[in-house]
Amino acid sequence: MKILMIASEAVPYAKTGGLADVAGVLPKFLKRAGHDVRVVMPCYGSINRERYGLVPLPGAMGVWMGAIGELWCEVLESRLPNSDVPIYFIAFDQYFARPGLYNDPNGEGYLDNDNRFVFLSRAALQLCKKLQFAPDVIHANDWHTAASPIFLDTVYANDDLLRNTASLLTIHNMEYQGRYYAGLMDVLDIGWEHFTHLGLEWQGQTNLLKGGIYYATLFNAVSRGYAEEIKTPAFGHGLEGVVQDRAWALRGVLNGIDYEEWDPSRDIYIVENYDIDRMQGKAVCKRALQTRMGLIENSDVPLFGFIARLVDQKGIRLLAELFEGLMALDLQIALLGSGEAWAQDFFSAMAGRYGGKFACHIGYDNALAHQIEAGSDFFLMPSVFEPCGLNQLYSLRYGAIPIVHAVGGLNDTIENFDEWHHTGTGFKYDDHTPGALYDTIGWALSTWYHRPEDIAMLRHNGMCQRFSWEDSARQYIDIYREATWRKTGRAAD
């Protein structure tokens, strides 16, 4: 099949979350399965064109933006690292040559994010025409590119090149929907007849994700659990009725992880490699992490890792609320992340107050992320909701036992510890309350100090798990084929 993936970010060029991993890694596995897959993303100002070998395509490309008029951009081409997957960068400095991907230096979303990503969505379709590339499926991701299936089903519905192209919209996070003023319809220029409750209208605004869900051939969430959750008011963020309306078109596909990068037996970022049959290196990694982060070097005290964006979704308020109580327990915590100013200030202050027991690094450091996974005994993921989650999968591979809120992908991938039958891969709790998290951490501590054989069992079970991109790619290929059949009435090759 011919597949065009459109995303607002992709590793290694630009990343804020799991979307970047999907866009930067999944295409490689689709290519290995024999498909012609290509990727389109913005050419952000932060992308080093020389380092990644970006080469301009001949000629400028016009992109129609309705009330704004036609805008002209440059397109650059490269290959995803360690692959021959083409990736195209839409270069329009007025929109993309900025310090941040979505937000200004103060953390506020750019006021023209609506125009920026409508432009990306339409530019990707125009690129197909420029290249004379007729995809069987266009794979859009989140609200940023949800306009692509909308365009396909409206202004491109009778296009000679794209009329038979199906679409898939993947939802990585339902909370972010691309809600903007009603007048965005004039920029989309698809006709105000699509500004309805069965189209893009939502409480008087234009909602790009809602439109994408209605107009995409099929759509999916990044775990089966999250696919069920977004049908409910608790997780649908106002669009649960829309999801229920199109429930027949909804699928769930768990993200994989890249075991070439996340493998303690050959990880270049950790001080000593180890694996399930030779675990001595994990103790060395723990001591190295304690040293690096200024924690007391003590192999007997359990070390809890936490790596996340410091935003409400990741459960940081819950963690802050019970923090003083945690510091009274015999444990250590290493935190890595950045985000909301209050959280950065709070955890920085706690590191000053509880030096030796708690350490934090504000920001993101890829090497340190690997070192925390390798050096931690447990890994905390108290997310309010978690569409898929990747760190719990890394933690399983690195023998850091996950402690998770039983939602979305966390619930799908972690088997709760059964102390009677000595089974499981981690510790789960259902109620998102400080007491529930505190008690679960206490349960993990009790197991650490009183049942070391169960700790060894949990580590072993976790390190045996595999959540590969090969499996995810096979499921996406099945969905692409179904989408093509639904669009054209014929089966894809």
Side-chain angles (χ1 to χ4, degrees):
M1 287 184 291
K2 296 178 181 177
I3 304 155
L4 185 74
M5 182 171 292
I6 314 171
S8 59
E9 55 185 78
V11 293
Y13 313 102
K15 175 177 177 174
T16 65
L19 162 59
D21 295 282
V22 174
V25 180
L26 174 60
K28 298 179 185 181
F29 289 88
L30 296 172
K31 182 71 173 180
R32 292 177 192 175
H35 302 284
D36 182 356
V37 57
R38 311 182 187 191
V39 182
V40 180
M41 69 172 291
C43 189
Y44 295 111
S46 58
I47 295 174
N48 187 319
R49 298 186 182 191
E50 290 186 4
R51 177 184 177 187
Y52 294 115
L54 275 59
V55 178
L57 296 183
M61 185 175 74
V63 179
W64 180 249
M65 288 286 284
I68 296 174
E70 190 170 34
L71 301 178
W72 291 83
C73 65
E74 183 181 28
V75 180
L76 300 99
E77 181 181 7
S78 186
R79 294 291 184 272
L80 286 176
N82 304 314
S83 81
D84 58 353
V85 175
I87 179 166
Y88 301 97
F89 298 84
I90 305 300
F92 186 65
D93 287 354
Q94 179 181 332
Y95 282 161
F96 300 128
R98 302 182 183 182
L101 306 193
Y102 314 117
N103 303 327
D104 63 26
N106 296 319
E108 299 295 326
Y110 293 121
L111 295 179
D112 61 348
N113 272 345
D114 50 351
N115 295 338
R116 297 172 74 219
F117 293 107
V118 166
F119 178 80
L120 172 65
S121 298
R122 190 146 192 174
L125 302 184
Q126 284 301 109
L127 178 61
C128 291
K129 297 178 71 65
K130 180 180 177 71
L131 300 173
Q132 284 299 292
F133 176 67
D136 294 298
V137 178
I138 281 179
H139 186 163
N141 292 274
D142 276 347
W143 76 263
H144 313 90
T145 55
S148 294
I150 298 171
F151 285 135
L152 266 183
D153 212 41
T154 54
V155 293
Y156 288 85
N158 297 312
D159 184 86
D160 289 342
L161 187 74
L162 298 174
R163 68 175 64 184
N164 291 321
T165 298
S167 59
L168 173 69
L169 173 62
T170 296
I171 298 173
H172 302 264
N173 191 328
M174 194 74 161
E175 184 175 19
Y176 304 105
Q177 299 176 5
R179 296 191 293 259
Y180 293 99
Y181 71 120
L184 182 60
M185 293 297 297
D186 289 327
V187 177
L188 290 163
D189 199 24
I190 61 173
W192 279 86
E193 65 270 22
H194 299 284
F195 190 71
T196 69
H197 73 285
L198 294 177
L200 281 80
E201 188 274 335
W202 188 83
Q203 297 186 359
Q205 295 178 301
T206 300
N207 187 313
L208 293 171
L209 184 64
K210 180 188 177 193
I213 291 172
Y214 269 125
Y215 289 87
T217 312
L218 297 173
F219 69 111
N220 76 284
V222 288
S223 69
R224 292 182 179 179
Y226 194 55
E228 292 300 315
E229 289 173 348
I230 60 176
K231 298 176 185 176
T232 69
F235 298 94
H237 297 280
L239 294 187
E240 57 275 5
V242 178
V243 176
Q244 291 166 18
D245 252 6
R246 295 212 74 210
W248 65 267
L250 174 62
R251 307 290 181 267
V253 181
L254 189 73
N255 290 340
I257 67 171
D258 186 351
Y259 286 108
E260 294 178 5
E261 178 183 1
W262 293 94
D263 180 356
S265 70
R266 55 182 174 177
D267 192 325
I268 63 173
Y269 297 112
I270 63 178
V271 295
E272 186 166 325
N273 295 121
Y274 63 94
D275 209 337
I276 192 168
D277 296 319
R278 46 184 182 92
M279 290 294 291
Q280 299 89 340
K282 185 163 180 67
V284 178
C285 290
K286 179 176 179 178
R287 287 196 299 273
L289 180 62
Q290 289 171 327
T291 300
R292 174 170 178 176
M293 299 202 73
L295 298 169
I296 296 170
E297 291 186 31
N298 187 339
S299 61
D300 295 329
V301 174
L303 176 51
F304 291 68
F306 181 93
I307 304 170
R309 289 177 294 117
L310 301 182
V311 295
D312 279 350
Q313 180 209 334
K314 299 300 182 180
I316 55 171
R317 291 189 185 275
L318 205 65
L319 191 60
E321 190 170 340
L322 56 82
F323 197 84
E324 298 280 357
L326 292 179
M327 289 296 97
L329 302 175
D330 198 6
L331 54 70
Q332 296 176 343
I333 301 176
L335 178 148
L336 170 63
S338 64
E340 296 179 19
W342 76 263
Q344 294 186 168
D345 292 344
F346 174 83
F347 289 114
S348 295
M350 292 299 101
R353 182 181 303 178
Y354 294 105
K357 283 182 67 75
F358 173 67
C360 73
H361 179 96
I362 300 300
Y364 185 73
D365 182 321
N366 186 49
L368 181 57
H370 284 249
Q371 291 158 16
I372 289 175
E373 293 286 7
S376 295
D377 299 301
F378 298 97
F379 196 90
L380 294 171
M381 291 190 73
S383 304
V384 179
F385 65 94
E386 193 62 67
C388 175
L390 292 175
N391 276 106
Q392 85 276 16
L393 305 183
Y394 303 150
S395 299
L396 290 172
R397 184 69 186 90
Y398 280 68
I401 301 166
I403 297 172
V404 304
H405 182 202
V407 290
L410 301 179
N411 196 37
D412 285 358
T413 56
I414 303 302
E415 179 188 352
N416 205 16
F417 173 44
D418 183 334
E419 57 190 68
W420 301 109
H421 297 96
H422 306 283
T423 59
T425 58
F427 297 85
K428 298 199 288 192
Y429 64 95
D430 294 313
D431 298 328
H432 192 65
T433 62
L437 176 56
Y438 183 87
D439 288 346
T440 306
I441 292 172
W443 182 22
L445 281 175
S446 174
T447 307
W448 172 271
Y449 284 113
H450 302 296
R451 293 187 297 279
E453 68 283 358
D454 281 335
I455 293 294
M457 175 274 298
L458 287 163
R459 273 186 173 160
H460 183 275
N461 290 353
M463 294 180 76
C464 287
Q465 302 295 305
R466 287 295 181 271
F467 297 91
S468 71
W469 276 115
E470 287 93 346
D471 291 339
S472 301
R474 281 193 289 270
Q475 293 177 64
Y476 273 113
I477 290 165
D478 288 342
I479 295 174
Y480 296 152
R481 287 182 172 137
E482 181 186 355
T484 301
W485 175 79
R486 290 184 179 275
K487 178 75 174 184
T488 66
R490 58 179 175 79
D493 294 336

